[in-house]
Amino acid sequence: MAGLRGALLALLFGCSGVAAVWPQPQSLSVAPAGGCRLSAARFRFGYANSSAVVAGCAVLDQAFQRYWKLLFPAGQKDPEKGHFGDPSCGELLVFVTKPGCDGYPSLDSKENYKLSVSDEQMFLSADTVWGALRGLETFSQLVWRADYGTFYMNKTDVVDFPRFPHRGLLLDTSRHYLPLRAILETLDAMAYSKLNVFHWHIVDDPSFPYESMAFPDLSWKGAYQPVTHVYTPSDVKTVIEYARLRGIRVISEFDTPGHTLSWGPGVPGLLTPCYSGPKLTGSYGPVNPILNSTYQFMGKFFAEVSAVFPDVYIHLGGDEVDFTCWKSNPKIQAFMEQMGFGQDYRKLESFYIQRLLDIVSSYGKGYVVWQEVFDNGVKVKPNTIIHVWKQTPVTYQKELSNVTKSGYRALLSSPWYLNRISYGQDWLAAYQVEPLSFEGSPEQKALVIGGEACMWGEYVDETNLTPRLWPRAGAVAERLWSNQTVRHVQDAYTRLRDFRCTLLRRGIRAQPLFTGYCDYEFNTL
């Protein structure tokens, strides 16, 4: 650690003008000489001849506009000054092999790309528009500005693709409501770091801000404030489309049977009444799993959710179910006896979740569940994704081993709870995680499809969301995108420091990594 501290102290000269890429590409070659000079008056993005995707594709047309503005911010001078004889970069030509622009990214979407810059031309090729988006981001980070203000692109060759297909970020919008603008800003920063899944933990015990068309009382009676602190159908559509245009999937989470206190006021009879001895206490526990009305409601509600959120997967939660209220309820006790469950309330939880999974499957959806569903022996479909988040009673490495040994795909979040903070270089703990450091066969490790950084909202709202996330979430992004061998901490610090400066320049309030400065401090342009 002393060596690392010395290395960090040696780097306190602020953000340099020489470009660095975050996350690190699979193969990157940047020549010290050659390349060309970029001018706002001359440089353009365009489609290569014979590209399967051409002008009229909103995903790339809008990306061209966004990245041009990022390269040449409004009001920033564009001097024509440069070294004598510097060639001018005229156009980055983009070639996409496969047609398709109107759909949504998926778990199976290809994100590979190749980027080549020489004295003669600049060329970006990708199998899909989603890969082209990743290539545009890399291109934007490779452009650098000389001291006298001129932009340059060195001679460069990049061959790149993600290590894992699922690279996510969870936002909790129940414990503190996050306004739409905060979510959209987060999606921008995710695209800058090549994260591709927005896990929207939209409701929980404290509030129900999702405005349901089928059950409007859920938000009217369950949100903190039913007018100002809700996500309307229009808001949800905006988030989904904004994410799509950046190659980001939106996976909604409606966690049951626990974490559902905010559901109760809008759906009388949904939650379990709690008892103290023979008397009702007036409080409620998890969803009542013994009533037919529960499943009738869930059927209608998830029919709506399945229609609103286009991704194939829905996150159904299933974590931290407190059995105390179920144990106190005489009707549930009688049901347990009738079903032969004894006193094993995990079997009752499994009874509920299996029926819920059948409902969701009937709408053609796949599902992600928290690890308790697996731990409690619920019978789930082979294509179920198990989301690992706990550190105890076993390590997440052991949990990953158990999940994949059973043949299920897995996501990792246990070491990436970014709502937990500490003083100093706490990005290092996230960066040094290796998702595949568990005992298992190559076939088991192939079942780990990625992971997610999580930002839970107990102490996070719009005021501190962005600086708490960035650039620390970038550490998770590189671990999930780059080659497993990319682990050199000093190099990572240099590039992450520069990436933080890039985020500031783009209007993202990323917190400092260390003492120093950026050429473009936040909101000074």
Side-chain angles (χ1 to χ4, degrees):
M1 185 58 71
L4 171 61
R5 177 176 173 82
L8 296 180
L9 288 171
L11 293 168
L12 301 185
F13 49 76
C15 294
S16 68
V18 178
V21 181
W22 193 277
Q24 180 70 32
Q26 301 292 334
S27 173
L28 170 65
S29 174
V30 180
C36 51
R37 174 169 51 91
L38 280 79
S39 162
R42 294 186 177 90
F43 175 76
R44 294 293 182 269
F45 295 101
Y47 294 91
N49 291 333
S50 73
S51 172
V53 174
V54 295
C57 168
V59 172
L60 289 185
D61 287 352
Q62 293 191 32
F64 292 166
Q65 295 177 34
R66 290 198 308 273
Y67 279 105
W68 195 91
K69 292 177 181 177
L70 290 175
L71 291 174
F72 309 107
Q76 184 168 286
K77 293 182 180 180
D78 180 25
E80 292 299 317
K81 181 179 178 181
H83 294 297
F84 179 77
D86 284 342
S88 178
C89 305
E91 189 173 38
L92 174 65
L93 294 175
V94 177
F95 176 87
V96 179
T97 304
K98 298 178 181 178
C101 190
D102 298 327
Y104 293 87
S106 71
L107 180 62
D108 299 322
S109 293
K110 301 297 183 183
E111 297 174 280
N112 57 298
Y113 67 92
K114 295 180 181 179
L115 175 65
S116 176
V117 176
S118 67
D119 294 341
E120 293 79 27
Q121 69 171 6
M122 299 188 294
F123 193 77
L124 169 64
S125 64
D127 283 349
T128 68
V129 291
W130 318 120
L133 288 176
R134 307 303 172 228
L136 288 171
E137 177 57 40
T138 295
F139 175 83
S140 73
Q141 293 186 29
L142 284 167
V143 174
W144 60 278
R145 195 179 194 194
D147 291 340
Y148 43 79
T150 302
F151 294 98
Y152 284 95
M153 182 76 176
N154 288 14
K155 185 178 180 181
T156 303
D157 287 293
V158 180
V159 177
D160 203 10
F161 52 87
R163 182 183 176 198
F164 294 102
H166 185 121
R167 307 177 307 281
L169 174 63
L170 177 152
L171 290 187
D172 169 12
T173 57
S174 173
R175 291 172 176 87
H176 281 98
Y177 174 81
L178 296 175
L180 183 62
R181 61 180 175 269
I183 295 175
L184 300 185
E185 179 182 278
T186 300
L187 291 170
D188 279 330
M190 288 176 64
Y192 301 153
S193 56
K194 299 186 175 72
L195 291 172
N196 69 346
V197 179
F198 171 41
H199 176 170
W200 196 352
H201 188 89
I202 194 166
V203 304
D204 207 297
D205 279 331
S207 73
F208 198 105
Y210 172 76
E211 193 174 87
S212 168
M213 297 292 289
F215 300 98
D217 278 353
L218 280 168
S219 59
W220 188 252
K221 297 180 179 179
Y224 285 134
Q225 214 293 338
V227 176
T228 59
H229 285 56
V230 294
Y231 303 105
T232 67
S234 176
D235 292 336
V236 174
K237 288 180 180 178
T238 296
V239 168
I240 292 170
E241 180 62 6
Y242 199 90
R244 185 187 80 88
L245 292 172
R246 287 152 183 80
I248 297 172
R249 301 162 57 202
V250 178
I251 296 181
S252 61
E253 181 183 355
F254 293 89
D255 190 0
T256 67
H259 293 282
T260 49
L261 292 181
S262 66
W263 301 51
V267 187
L270 180 65
L271 303 185
T272 303
C274 304
Y275 283 74
S276 177
K279 295 183 178 180
L280 286 165
T281 64
S283 60
Y284 293 88
V287 166
N288 193 329
I290 70 172
L291 302 177
N292 287 332
S293 59
T294 292
Y295 302 102
Q296 292 169 357
F297 163 76
M298 292 297 175
K300 293 178 182 178
F301 179 72
F302 279 101
E304 175 185 327
V305 169
S306 298
V308 168
F309 292 91
D311 199 86
V312 170
Y313 287 92
I314 299 175
H315 203 303
L316 297 176
D319 65 313
E320 296 183 318
V321 181
D322 186 349
F323 298 148
T324 305
C325 185
W326 281 354
K327 290 178 179 179
S328 76
N329 188 293
K331 292 182 180 179
I332 287 185
Q333 292 172 10
F335 182 83
M336 292 280 289
E337 183 176 352
Q338 176 186 342
M339 297 295 293
F341 292 165
Q343 293 298 306
D344 189 351
Y345 284 85
R346 292 178 303 174
K347 292 182 178 179
L348 181 61
E349 179 188 9
S350 297
F351 173 83
Y352 166 80
I353 290 178
Q354 284 176 330
R355 291 195 64 176
L356 179 63
L357 298 183
D358 288 341
I359 289 170
V360 172
S361 295
S362 71
Y363 299 120
K365 293 289 188 178
Y367 38 77
V368 186
V369 292
W370 294 110
Q371 70 178 75
E372 285 95 327
V373 175
F374 169 80
D375 294 341
N376 292 341
V378 177
K379 294 179 182 178
V380 295
K381 288 188 175 183
N383 65 348
T384 301
I385 298 172
I386 309 297
H387 198 161
V388 176
W389 72 276
K390 298 174 74 173
Q391 293 275 19
T392 56
V394 297
T395 64
Y396 67 80
Q397 291 93 339
K398 181 63 175 175
E399 185 75 14
L400 286 171
S401 180
N402 292 339
V403 167
T404 55
K405 188 175 182 179
S406 297
Y408 296 112
R409 290 173 296 171
L411 291 172
L412 178 63
S413 281
S414 304
W416 292 325
Y417 272 38
L418 299 184
N419 48 292
R420 298 170 180 162
I421 57 175
S422 60
Y423 190 74
Q425 299 289 325
D426 63 347
W427 65 275
L428 283 168
Y431 188 77
Q432 292 172 326
V433 170
E434 172 44 54
L436 302 186
S437 64
F438 62 90
E439 292 185 5
S441 66
E443 291 76 16
Q444 283 181 250
K445 296 189 178 186
L447 291 172
V448 178
I449 60 172
E452 294 182 356
C454 297
M455 183 57 72
W456 297 99
E458 288 89 348
Y459 304 101
V460 177
D461 65 6
E462 188 187 16
T463 64
N464 62 346
L465 170 69
T466 300
R468 188 169 292 196
L469 268 178
W470 307 102
R472 297 192 307 146
V476 182
E478 177 151 295
R479 184 56 52 235
L480 294 173
W481 178 279
S482 303
N483 191 281
Q484 184 175 352
T485 60
V486 178
R487 309 194 68 85
H488 194 283
V489 170
Q490 294 176 6
D491 172 72
Y493 173 80
T494 303
R495 289 183 296 104
L496 187 59
R497 179 205 61 200
D498 285 357
F499 180 61
R500 184 252 172 176
C501 290
T502 296
L503 292 176
L504 288 186
R505 180 183 178 187
R506 295 179 179 185
I508 305 296
R509 291 179 179 268
Q511 70 180 15
L513 282 173
F514 212 74
T515 306
Y517 77 100
C518 290
D519 290 336
Y520 299 95
E521 297 291 358
F522 180 80
N523 206 28
T524 58
L525 292 180

